[in-house]
Structure formats: structure tokens, C-alpha cells
Amino acid sequence: LTDMNMPGMDGLTLLANTLKADPSVSVIVVTAHGTIETAVEAMKKGAEDFLTKPVENDHLRVTLDRVFRKRALLEENKRLVSENEALKEDMRIRYHLATAVGRSEEAVQLLEKIHFHMKTRSHTLVLGEPGSGEVDVAKMLHYNGPWAGRPLLFFDCFSVPEHFHETQLFGEEASSRPGDAKKGAAGLIERAHSGSLVISSVHRLNPACQSRLSRVIREEQTQRTGGTRFYPVSVKVIFTANPSDLDAAVAAGGFKRDLHEILKENAIVI
């Protein structure tokens, strides 16, 4: 807390010098000659608040409580950001190709395929029996690519009820219709923009979503459910499936053959 009028240096100069030396310091300016212009100038220069004398204890206490709450939130945010960066770095190390175990001919061929597909934004289909590590391969594709620091999101077609697939993946457009007002919400595809989206058990994907996913792959744009606007997206979509389940879904008509043909163009078989 600093007075405004002092010999040798006024409060605004002290404010500026303090924040220059340590921007994290919270400064509250107090004066007996407060004007709106002076208060505005102090706030522009970074003061947390501007109080006029005589300062009431209750007012000062409320101001200090607010400042300390703000500082606590900033510290918590810094901690969470630091933990998030540490987690990302841990994931990058854990799924770095250099840590991959296996020197057999099959393992080497698998790593070569991962190395090839991780360099491109094109979609990738990872096929493997349950427990063979399809999701681990998907993470390797993300964390070793040029978008390693960008979002990596997951969607499991098996665990999410089929009637929720569209809204989860494509979101909903805002609506102001009487009796049916909705807030717009981005789906996972939009939220994964510039990063990667892993869609597991793709053979169980709602058929209505399959055509829409084809457009995302071909045209790099998506459309929210109930809307007409197209949103540009640059996302690496990584699909995983059990090969026998996917073939059975195609044969039964539950999975579109054209999408299946598109996915097979960039496939990794474990």
C-alpha cells in the first residue's frame, strides 16, 4: 500500500518502479486528494485498487481480501499450468519412439509404419486385437508428430451410447427458437483443431456420423448438429478397431463401405 503524495517520489512513480522490478507485486494506491483522472491513471499503470482517505478499515479489509484471493487464484493457475506442461512432457517421453520396446522383424516394421504416418496430417486407421496396444500406437502418432504440443482428445464409440455420438463429435449449433433455445457447443472434432482426435472402436460408430466424418476427412471442415455453417478444422483423426469386428460391421451394412475404403488407405496393422 502506498500513499500518493510523498517527498522524493510520488505513488504513481513508486507503482511503476515496483511493477518494473517485480510484476507479481500487488499495489494499492491511497490518497487524500483523489480524482477520477488520477484513479484511472493508477489503474492503467497496474494498480490493484485506488482508495481515498480516510480509509475505512472494513473497506480496506474487503480490498485486501479480494487482492489476496486474486493472487491465490493466479498462483493456483500457474501451478496447474506447470503440472499440465510436466504431464505433457511426461507423455512425450513415455510415448517417444526411442522408448519403444521390441527388436523383432514385426516390431521394426510397426515402428517404420508409425514413423511414416506420424509425419502427415492424414487420418490413420490402427487395427489390432483387443489388448494389442492400439491406443498406445495412437498416442505415439500424436506425441512424435509436429503437433505433439497440441490437444489430444479421445472418443470411445463402445462406451458412449450411440444416440450421443453426433452431439459429442460434432457439437450443437446455437438455437433461439421459442421453446427450443440452446447454447451452441463445439464437438470434439472442433476442439481437437490443430491436434489429434482418437476414435476407438470405430466399427460401433453411429451410421449417421460416418458420412459426416467422411466430409471432415475429405474437406477439412465440420458442421455442428442442427446448423448450416461449416467450421474449418485441421485435425489428425486416428481410428482404432479390431479388424475382424470392422470387417463384420462392413459385411452387415453397419459400417459404410466408402468410409472403410478411405480408412484402409492409411492403415497400421498391429
Side-chain angles (χ1 to χ4, degrees):
L1 291 91
T2 176
D3 204 345
M4 175 63 80
N5 296 320
M6 302 179 293
M9 181 187 296
D10 64 22
L12 292 183
T13 305
L14 177 59
L15 166 66
N17 290 347
T18 300
L19 295 182
K20 184 178 180 180
D22 185 353
S24 69
V25 175
S26 302
V27 180
I28 300 172
V29 178
V30 183
T31 182
H33 309 284
T35 65
I36 293 177
E37 290 78 11
T38 307
V40 169
E41 185 179 0
M43 301 301 280
K44 281 184 175 179
K45 289 189 174 181
E48 287 288 342
D49 210 336
F50 186 88
L51 306 179
T52 55
K53 297 178 184 178
V55 179
E56 296 181 3
N57 285 342
D58 288 343
H59 188 186
L60 179 59
R61 189 175 293 111
V62 168
T63 300
L64 291 173
D65 285 345
R66 176 175 54 77
V67 169
F68 283 122
R69 281 200 303 272
K70 178 181 177 181
R71 291 180 64 84
L73 287 173
L74 290 173
E75 288 298 321
E76 177 69 5
N77 186 56
K78 285 169 60 178
R79 183 185 67 79
L80 291 174
V81 169
S82 177
E83 288 182 357
N84 188 42
E85 289 302 317
L87 179 60
K88 285 183 180 179
E89 183 62 24
D90 177 63
M91 296 296 279
R92 280 193 285 267
I93 293 173
R94 184 180 304 178
Y95 292 101
H96 196 281
L97 288 185
T99 65
V101 178
R103 292 293 177 267
S104 67
E105 183 179 348
E106 291 84 356
V108 171
Q109 290 176 354
L110 176 61
L111 290 177
E112 287 177 350
K113 287 184 178 180
I114 294 173
H115 195 270
F116 172 79
H117 286 283
M118 74 187 191
K119 295 179 180 179
T120 172
R121 296 293 290 172
S122 299
H123 66 278
T124 303
L125 172 63
V126 182
L127 296 170
E129 299 296 327
S132 61
E134 313 98 278
V135 174
D136 286 341
V137 170
K139 290 178 179 178
M140 285 183 176
L141 289 170
H142 175 80
Y143 286 114
N144 290 277
W147 46 87
R150 307 302 298 171
L152 171 61
L153 304 182
F154 296 88
F155 180 78
D156 186 357
C157 302
F158 178 77
S159 61
V160 178
E162 189 175 300
H163 57 279
F164 287 128
H165 287 188
E166 276 198 285
T167 52
Q168 288 280 308
L169 286 171
F170 298 94
E172 285 187 290
E173 197 66 273
S175 170
S176 57
R177 291 192 301 269
D180 190 33
K182 297 177 183 175
K183 286 186 176 180
L188 288 171
I189 292 171
E190 272 185 78
R191 288 161 50 196
H193 176 65
S194 77
S196 302
L197 172 63
V198 180
I199 300 180
S200 302
S201 302
V202 68
H203 57 281
R204 291 179 174 268
L205 182 64
N206 183 328
C209 294
Q210 295 174 24
S211 298
R212 299 178 69 177
L213 264 177
S214 296
R215 167 171 274 171
V216 172
I217 293 172
R218 292 194 311 267
E219 303 176 15
E220 294 193 332
Q221 58 180 356
T222 184
Q223 192 176 34
R224 294 181 183 178
T225 302
T228 57
R229 176 183 171 188
F230 288 97
Y231 297 84
V233 288
S234 176
V235 55
K236 183 176 182 67
V237 186
I238 305 169
F239 304 90
T240 74
N242 181 328
S244 58
D245 288 341
L246 183 56
D247 290 342
V250 173
F255 197 85
K256 294 185 178 297
R257 290 187 179 276
D258 60 340
L259 179 58
H260 186 225
E261 292 301 319
I262 293 173
L263 298 188
K264 287 198 305 182
E265 294 174 1
N266 296 305
I268 295 176
V269 181
I270 304 176

